[in-house]
Every structure is written in structure tokens, then in C-alpha cells.
Amino acid sequence: MILQSLMQYYESLVEKEKVPRMGWCHAKVSCAIELDEDGQVKAIIPLKVSEMFGKKEVLVPQQMNVPQMVVRSSGISANFLCDNSKYMLGIDSTGTSQRIKECFMAARDKHCSILQDSNGRMAKAIIRYFEQWNPDNADVNPVIKAHWEDLTDGGNLIFCMKNEYAQEDEEIKKIWHIYQEYNSGLVDGICLVTGEKAEISRIHRGIKGVPGAQSSGAALVSFNAPAFESYGKEQSYNAPVGKNAEFAYTTALNYLLSEKKYTFQLGDSMVIYWAESAQTQYQDIFKNFFNSSIDNQKELEKVFGNLKNGLEVDIDYVKIDLNQRFYILCLAPNAARLSIRFFYENSFGNILENLSRHYERMSIVKPEWEKDYLSIQEMLMETVNKKSKDKKPVSNMATLVLRDILVDDRYPTSLYTGVLTRIRAEQGGITYGRAAIVKAYLIKNYNMKEGEKYMGLNENCNEQAYVLGRLFAILELIQKDANPGINSTIKDRYFNSACATPASVFPILIKLKNSHLKKLERNSTGLRIQYEKIITELMGKLNMAETQIGFPRRLSLEEQGKFMLGYYHQIQKRYEKKEDK
């Protein structure tokens, strides 16, 4: 299913001329070797272009369309018309050697064999070049010597004559096409992707751009041990994929990974996404959801609002087809291979609906400066110790959270326990993000009643854990008002115990409250009366909620989340009043 989706995407990309056709590829080229008609090196033309990396401008190789390059892991194997200096000139940064000369000879044999029947100027010049070029004399050639570092820095080189590149010569294009057709392998079979009889690809091209994997490319489909083989079929013959299908899916996947603005890293995994039609508007909208910033909050609100009201969804005045098929693929490095964390396919409208439900569950009262929509990465960072050296969330949890949001499934327990652990470790450090996660988890996983009413303080709620959280917040506020400028409060010492085992802590806190109220009465009798009314009301709710009088001995994980939610809501209510004043 994954390979079929990528193949369909490749066909859409070809129609838009964003990727090369079969037999061709995009490669990074550093220099062009200009030849005259006699095959002599006339000049070296630098092809690097300037790009901005941060605030610095640097020169990088130029992307060019060249004949399909070989998969080279070890041994000597030459490319046609585009290769590094070892194959094209027989040299590297230190000069030449016997092995490097063998690389050059392999390139010479391949070019002469392919172009031997050609009568074109370009082809004849290339043949003459290989027949007379001597790598031993390269270091005394004035043209080569002047560009030695650029030629031997590992980048690819191509041939040209005046303003025409060899790979763009029409006659050479036709020769390369014929060569591809008549030099196919001998293994045929039924392609698992297309279901048609085709030449089976022995080795699949590497996928580049996944952090942690080999920079030269990692395989998505490969077999490297007898334990993974069956019926005598070795290498990729064990999972027969036709050459056309293999070229299509690897080209599409490499293209997606090269489009950095449409990828994002989640833990140790790389997430890529695309629409079947290859229209980037769908990727733009999806990117905003998972990389939300202050700048795109209004745009997200507009999309969700239109979706809820049954209106057309658009971006930059372009209408979005909600029935468009959309795909999300999560890849992780695994030695020289790639592992698939998950693959999800659905209509774009259904994906937006699931995201809308997630953000609705996450909505909660917050300070004015906080964003309305937290990105997935920001959610995960709420489980991380900000003071630790490794500020990365648990890899498996990160991908599980993304998958469960996309399919509108129950959130992983590790997300909830991770947030609760951080709150306890920071002695009641309940941030806006953590409170939103606790609320969303309780609604989705525990079917918390009246969940939609928990965006702000619910004064009608009689659930004991929620009321206990409110009560603890009131006791802390009393202490703060009685002792202005105090450095530490009851939260720093008693929060964890109050959250887990209320019966062991709250009697002590009630006694402390009495002394704090007496101190508070000296400055404000009205404030003391107000606090006493709130405490009386909350204590009454506890008595009504319990069959027996007194505080509960312990709270479950679900109840601890409600305790934290009650605490957070009550504290935010205090700040709301200050803002109103």
C-alpha cells in the first residue's frame, strides 16, 4: 500500500515536471568539464550556486537532471555522463593511484560502449576525451590544476561543449533510452506494486534525508541475510518489485524528503506527508497544524471554523477538496535500512475533522500570551525535563501520539503518565500545555463527564478529586495573601502528597490555613470572609461526594489528573479576576 501510494504520487509529480522520468535522476553537480571537438579539456565551469544557510551565504552544488546513477556500496561501478573526479578524471585530492585509474577505466569503457555508434559532435568529443586522457598528467594540466580543489572535493562532474550539457544532447538522450531498454536484467516476475509482469529490481535505490540513517542513503526494501530469504530468492528478488515501480517509489520518497518545509522530525523519526494530486496547498495546511506558531493561529481558527460550519475550506483563496486522499508516513533509521513507524491514509476532510476534535479537547483557559493551538512537538516537550541535557521525548511515545491524533484514537498512556511525572517532579508545575494534555486525556481515555465544560473552572462539579484540587489551590492562595512575597508555599512541600494521598496531608493544611486566616484578618477582614465561604462550599461538596466523612486515603491516576485540573482552573480563576480589575 505504501509503495503503491508513492508510485501514484510519482506519476502526479511527473505531470507537473517536478521529478525526472524513468532512466533519469536529479544529482548535485559541482563542475562541468568543457571539451572541444577533439576531446581536449578546454575549460572547467563551476556550477555551484549561492544559498543562504541562516545568515551565512554559501556555495552548494547545483541540482541537475542526469542519466540514472548506479547504486554503489562497494567495488567499482561507473555512472554515465555524471560522476566524481575518480571516474571522470582518474584523480582525487591526493592525485591518482592504481585503484583510481581502474575507476577511470571503468568509466571509459562504459562511455565508449554506449556512444560507439554515435555520429554526433558531443558523443564523438566524449569518446575522444576518454581515449586520450591520461590521469598521470592531470596535475600538470593548467586547466585542471587551476580548479583542483573544486574538482576533487567529492562532487559530481559532467561534460559540456560551449553552452550545451552532454546529458541534454538529443542524440545522446535517444542512445541512453535505447541502452536502458536493451540492457535490462534477466529476472522477470509479477511486480507486487503493479500486479503486472515486469523486470524485477535486484537492489533498490537508497532513501536520503532521514536523520540518523546513512547519508549515502538507506534502503526501504532489502534483504541481507539467509534468514530473510525464501525459495532461493536472494536480495530484493524476495519481495519482487518491478524496475519501473522501484524507480517511481524511490524517486517520490527522495523528493518528499528533499522538500524540508514539508517534513518535520518527531523524536528520532521523520514525518513526511503528501496529497495524491501533488498539490502543495494540502501540505501547507497540514504543516500549520503540526508546526503551529503565533503567526498562523488565525489561519488555523479560520480553517476549523469553516469546517465546523460546513463552509468551504481554502488557503490563499484556493479551494481545498476535502475528499482528496492524503498520506502521512513516519520513518525511523535502522542501521543501513529504514523502519516504518506508521503509515496513515484518509481523506483530507476526515484528517481535518480528527485534528479539530483533538484541538477542541485541548482547549482550556490560559494566559493571554499563550497560543490557542499547541503543536505536537510542543505537547511532547511538556513531558521533558527542560534542565536535562537530552531534551527529547521518548521516541515511541512521540509517534504514538501523532498516530492516535490522526485516527482520533485514545491517547497513549505514556503521554499522560509522562505529564503527571513532570508535574510531580516540579512540585506542582502545571503549565498551560500540561493542563491541556491532562484535560484532553481525561475526556478521550476516561470519558470524563461534561468534559466540554472543563475549559475553565467548573464550580458545579462535585467530583472529589477535582474539588480537592480546587481546595488545595485556595489554601495556597490564602498562604500567599497572608505572607506577601513568600518564596515557597505549601505547593512546594505538600503538592505531591495531596495529589496522591489526600488524607495524610489535608488535615495538616487545614490547621495551617487557620493560622494564615488569622494573619490575613489583620489586613483584610473581607478577604478572610470570602475565603471562608469558598472553603465551606468546597468542604460541603466533599461531604456530599463521599459516603463517609473525611478525605480519601488515595487517588487513582485518573483522579490525580482531575486533582491537577481542579488546581489549575482555580489558580487561573484568580488571574482572570486580576485581569478583569
Side-chain angles (χ1 to χ4, degrees), residues 144-155:
I144 301 299
K145 193 174 181 179
H147 297 274
W148 187 273
E149 291 185 2
D150 292 333
L151 291 169
T152 59
D153 65 357

Side-chain angles (χ1 to χ4, degrees), residues 132-193:
Q132 63 192 12
W133 178 256
N134 185 356
D136 290 325
N137 298 331
D139 57 351
V140 297
N141 185 297
V143 177
I144 301 299
K145 193 174 181 179
H147 297 274
W148 187 273
E149 291 185 2
D150 292 333
L151 291 169
T152 59
D153 65 357
N156 290 315
L157 313 177
I158 59 173
F159 293 114
C160 72
M161 289 182 70
K162 295 183 179 179
N163 296 324
E164 183 183 9
Y165 298 120
Q167 70 272 14
E168 295 176 355
D169 183 85
E170 291 300 326
E171 185 191 27
I172 291 180
K173 282 183 180 179
K174 292 178 182 178
I175 292 173
W176 175 245
H177 178 69
I178 295 171
Y179 174 81
Q180 289 283 96
E181 286 187 347
Y182 286 93
N183 286 271
S184 59
L186 300 176
V187 179
D188 291 337
I190 301 300
C191 175
L192 294 179
V193 179

